[in-house]
Amino acid sequence: MSSTLHLTEQLISRPSVTPDDADCQALLIERLAPLGFRCETIVSGPDHFRVTNLWARREGAASQVKPKTLVFAGHTDVVPTGPLEQWTSHPFTPTHRDGKLYGRGAADMKTSIAAMVVAVEEFLAEHPDPALSMAFLITSDEEGPATDGTVKVCEALTARGEVLDYCIVGEPTSVEQIGDMIKNGRRGTMSGKLTIKGVQGHIAYPHLAKNPIHLFAPALAELVATEWDQGNEFFPATSWQVSNIHGGTGASNVIPGDLVVDFNFRFCTESTPESLQQRLQAVLSRHQLEYDLKWTLGGLPFLTTPGDLVHAVQAAIQDETGLATELSTTGGTSDGRFIAKICPQVIELGPVNATIHKINEHVLVSSLEPLKNIYKGVLRKLASA
């Protein structure tokens, strides 16, 4: 069994459902501390939702120029398993079938973390005193509200003036095989809870009531048809989607007094939260609606244009797999949105994402060593840059 596979199985066997780290990070510290990493545990959050974060840093060789820092970032927490009876094997018992490793977190993202650690171990065995500082930023609050995880570590690093240059987030970005796609940015996310106010009444006397569903319908049609922007060479156009609509008492003869609409923007760098808010509210006002609206900004978009990090990752993937990787900014949000505020170059690279969050989540066993070798290749290239 390879070291990468062994560590992956050790991590999968720990039931680290958000925000419980289940001692995953203690296992990582056991591997990193002997390599010269200064390991710091940062605990945050209320008593009922305690989040464990690990910041581990190893300084590069002293030279006339301060060594640059590459951060490996990820999360030890996983989403809930879902119905256990639907799993072919227990989700926290790493199991092999048909060349695949099954377990919750196999793809998202304990394989990535194991591959990163082993890549660093092997790299330091080859280069004991590299001209590159290395760090790990690991949280147990990525799959949850993400309020006491990576964002808190980034705040602490900013407060004490720690400088980061490059970051690889181990999110599962591959589509068909390891390295065929990496994320060099992500769209922003902003949600809204809109309450359209009407007047409740008997459905047989509509003139004595105001139906908020009817009132909102023309505005909804206009919002659905709106082109918010056209995107750019790195991002698709901004999208507006309704996720939930609720109105009514449950009775078939009552006009509801209000209508609640949940919606979300996934927006690119061509739009800002302020511009999107203003344009949406202008539509509501134009239709003379009476409403309340609460906004939640989940994260701003970030983008790493091709430079040292992207080129190093592309070259490492090419060397290991022969693939010319695709740059993409599609998909959901990640903790990269927090790291990008303090680190100028952030990319995401990890396993195939076809089974993430699903019953019987798995990765190909044959993909573990290539992923580890790609991470190690990036270390080599950045250390010699």
Side-chain angles (χ1 to χ4, degrees):
M1 182 184 294
S2 75
S3 183
T4 308
L5 177 56
H6 180 57
L7 181 53
T8 301
E9 291 188 351
Q10 287 182 294
L11 291 170
I12 290 173
S13 68
R14 287 160 166 77
S16 54
V17 177
T18 307
D20 185 6
D21 171 66
D23 289 330
C24 288
Q25 293 174 30
L27 177 60
L28 301 181
I29 292 171
E30 289 178 10
R31 302 287 287 258
L32 295 173
L35 300 175
F37 281 83
R38 184 183 70 253
C39 299
E40 175 184 0
T41 297
I42 301 172
V43 178
S44 183
D47 290 341
H48 69 279
F49 202 89
R50 300 300 280 173
V51 173
T52 306
N53 303 296
L54 170 63
W55 172 247
R57 180 167 183 143
R58 184 187 192 277
E59 298 299 337
S63 65
Q64 292 181 344
V65 179
K66 182 176 177 60
K68 292 191 174 182
T69 300
L70 168 65
V71 179
F72 287 110
H75 58 91
T76 50
D77 61 319
V78 297
V79 296
T81 63
L84 290 176
E85 65 273 13
Q86 294 184 20
W87 284 75
T88 306
S89 54
H90 194 282
F92 295 116
T93 300
T95 304
H96 293 250
R97 292 192 303 275
D98 302 321
K100 299 170 183 175
L101 173 63
Y102 288 81
R104 175 57 84 219
D108 190 13
M109 54 177 288
K110 292 181 175 181
T111 291
S112 296
I113 293 174
M116 290 169 170
V117 170
V118 176
V120 168
E121 289 175 337
E122 294 185 0
F123 173 71
L124 288 173
E126 299 171 359
H127 309 279
D129 196 23
L132 180 71
S133 296
M134 291 169 284
F136 282 81
L137 197 172
I138 309 294
T139 184
S140 68
D141 181 30
E142 197 274 348
E143 300 290 8
T147 54
D148 288 286
T150 298
V151 64
K152 293 296 185 183
V153 180
C154 290
E155 290 172 358
L157 298 179
T158 300
R160 60 198 190 200
E162 292 206 43
V163 176
L164 313 181
D165 299 286
Y166 315 114
C167 179
I168 298 177
V169 185
E171 288 293 336
T173 60
S174 302
V175 180
E176 299 291 340
Q177 63 184 102
I178 289 292
D180 60 1
M181 179 181 287
I182 64 174
K183 306 292 185 180
N184 65 319
R186 292 278 189 168
R187 295 173 295 175
T189 178
M190 181 171 63
S191 297
K193 182 174 285 291
L194 171 66
T195 301
I196 304 295
K197 298 181 179 181
V199 176
Q200 183 173 312
H202 196 292
I203 208 159
Y205 300 94
H207 59 289
L208 300 178
K210 289 174 62 178
N211 192 321
I213 299 174
H214 295 187
L215 294 172
F216 181 57
L220 175 61
E222 181 175 343
L223 291 168
V224 170
T226 297
E227 180 183 79
W228 302 97
D229 56 50
Q230 296 182 336
N232 54 40
E233 62 177 314
F234 295 106
F235 286 98
T238 290
S239 167
W240 184 80
Q241 294 291 318
V242 173
S243 57
N244 292 284
I245 291 184
H246 177 76
T249 64
S252 62
N253 60 352
V254 178
I255 292 172
D258 54 43
L259 175 71
V260 180
V261 182
D262 295 308
F263 63 84
N264 177 267
F265 281 105
R266 291 300 166 104
F267 61 100
C268 71
T269 52
E270 296 297 307
S271 294
T272 65
E274 294 77 17
S275 69
L276 295 172
Q277 291 177 12
Q278 290 168 3
R279 291 179 63 189
L280 183 137
Q281 289 169 201
V283 173
L284 301 178
S285 297
R286 187 158 56 250
H287 288 273
Q288 299 181 327
L289 297 173
E290 185 181 358
Y291 65 91
D292 288 328
L293 179 53
K294 296 180 180 179
W295 294 98
T296 302
L297 179 62
L300 295 171
F302 73 91
L303 177 67
T304 297
T305 55
D308 292 346
L309 180 58
V310 169
H311 294 153
V313 171
Q314 288 174 322
I317 292 171
Q318 179 79 40
D319 291 346
E320 180 64 24
T321 68
L323 295 172
T325 190
E326 177 184 352
L327 298 180
S328 173
T329 59
T330 58
T333 58
S334 77
D335 277 0
R337 68 191 188 275
F338 304 126
I339 301 168
K341 293 181 178 181
I342 65 171
C343 182
Q345 299 186 51
V346 179
I347 68 100
E348 299 172 22
L349 164 63
V352 171
N353 60 22
T355 65
I356 59 175
H357 295 199
K358 291 184 178 181
I359 302 293
N360 290 330
E361 179 181 352
H362 63 267
V363 291
L364 285 172
V365 175
S366 61
S367 70
L368 271 64
E369 288 305 293
L371 180 60
K372 178 263 294 180
N373 290 338
I374 291 169
Y375 291 147
K376 184 167 64 173
V378 174
L379 284 165
R380 288 169 173 163
K381 294 177 187 304
L382 291 178
S384 62

